[in-house]
Amino acid sequence: MTGNDDLEEFQSIIGYSFADKGLLELALTHSSYANEQRNSSNKENRPPDNERLEFLGDAVLELATSSDIYSDYPDMPEGKMSKYRASIVCEPTLASCAREFGLQRFIRLGKGEEATGGRNRDSIISDALEAVIGAIYLDGGFDRATEFIGKFILDDIEKRRLFYDSKSTLQELVQSMGKDVVYTDISEEGPQHDKTFTVEVESDGLFKIRASGHTKKSAQQSAAYKALIKLKEKE
């Protein structure tokens, strides 16, 4: 459960102080926690969760991101703008952004969800991030929400895009050099609900890199991103 001290710490991290602390508490409340708080004698007596705020925050995020892309890339066609925005507001990218400032530590989860690794799940973390955006929008307006989005999501837009497209970008780059990319599963550790996968990506004479993730896909994505960074450094 997120206590007052945790709420204060979170506000300090994001650099925004809520006038209505209840909005922040709501944004950090997952449905699993709300469900477990239901009074057994009154099934309607259930505290609200962050799903409505997530809905609102998603819309605010899309508008802010669209505006940023429109302003920063005046020659980009509509189709590419849509793809670019999708790479930024997608679940894995948002979860990655949220983890960078430790959002997952503050989410209120039910005991069952906590026990099955929910705190590391991209969907829960990204939804909470959108809920926080919605809460800031209601508490401080669009400008403050946009400020938060710029600081924690759009702060390095090229890096975000590169991470999202890392596997396909790496494949295209390596193939242009007449070589192939090979992914190898190295290990799979941990309980069923909270596994860590380690993979290796290599291309003859170019790189041989390992990375880990909570899914095989995320491990491959991370390895591909590291390989791209290494190739850029060589250039």
Side-chain angles (χ1 to χ4, degrees), residues 128-162:
L129 178 58
E130 290 180 329
V132 168
I133 292 170
I136 294 174
Y137 170 75
L138 289 179
D139 191 73
F142 185 70
D143 286 346
R144 296 308 303 268
T146 301
E147 183 180 318
F148 172 85
I149 292 167
K151 182 177 180 181
F152 292 105
I153 300 174
L154 302 179
D155 57 319
D156 193 344
I157 196 169
E158 289 298 332
K159 176 184 175 182
R160 309 292 186 204
R161 183 194 65 78
L162 182 61

Side-chain angles (χ1 to χ4, degrees), residues 186-203:
I186 301 299
S187 66
E188 182 179 324
E189 301 173 338
Q192 188 64 37
H193 66 268
D194 191 20
K195 286 188 176 295
T196 296
F197 298 86
T198 299
V199 303
E200 184 174 79
V201 61
E202 64 177 312
S203 184

Side-chain angles (χ1 to χ4, degrees), residues 10-189:
F10 184 79
Q11 290 174 102
S12 177
I13 289 172
I14 67 173
Y16 178 79
S17 182
F18 279 79
D20 182 354
K21 301 294 191 292
L23 281 171
L24 174 58
E25 190 171 13
L26 180 60
L28 297 172
T29 301
H30 186 254
S31 59
S32 63
Y33 178 87
N35 287 332
E36 288 186 6
Q37 301 304 306
R38 179 186 286 127
N39 188 323
S40 59
S41 64
N42 180 4
K43 291 187 177 181
E44 298 302 319
N45 184 22
R46 180 172 74 92
D49 55 49
N50 64 6
E51 291 179 356
R52 283 172 53 84
L53 279 177
E54 174 213 334
F55 169 82
L56 179 61
D58 175 69
V60 175
L61 174 61
E62 286 232 356
L63 178 56
T65 304
S66 299
S67 178
D68 193 78
I69 293 172
Y70 184 86
S71 299
D72 290 351
Y73 301 92
D75 298 322
M76 185 179 286
E78 184 272 338
K80 191 171 182 181
M81 289 169 69
S82 296
K83 184 178 179 181
Y84 206 179
R85 181 182 62 195
S87 72
I88 297 166
V89 303
C90 71
E91 184 179 289
T93 303
L94 293 182
S96 175
C97 293
R99 287 189 180 98
E100 288 182 5
F101 66 94
L103 171 61
Q104 72 280 4
R105 295 193 293 114
F106 299 92
I107 301 173
R108 300 201 302 180
L109 291 175
K111 294 178 181 177
E113 192 66 60
E114 184 79 72
T116 55
R119 197 166 297 279
N120 293 319
R121 197 164 293 136
D122 281 1
S123 58
I124 290 177
I125 299 172
S126 63
D127 287 351
L129 178 58
E130 290 180 329
V132 168
I133 292 170
I136 294 174
Y137 170 75
L138 289 179
D139 191 73
F142 185 70
D143 286 346
R144 296 308 303 268
T146 301
E147 183 180 318
F148 172 85
I149 292 167
K151 182 177 180 181
F152 292 105
I153 300 174
L154 302 179
D155 57 319
D156 193 344
I157 196 169
E158 289 298 332
K159 176 184 175 182
R160 309 292 186 204
R161 183 194 65 78
L162 182 61
F163 180 79
Y164 175 80
D165 291 332
S166 58
K167 283 187 69 178
S168 57
T169 302
L170 181 65
Q171 185 78 18
E172 292 172 4
L173 180 59
V174 172
Q175 285 183 343
S176 71
M177 301 176 186
K179 296 179 180 292
D180 293 318
V181 177
V182 178
Y183 293 90
T184 304
D185 296 337
I186 301 299
S187 66
E188 182 179 324
E189 301 173 338

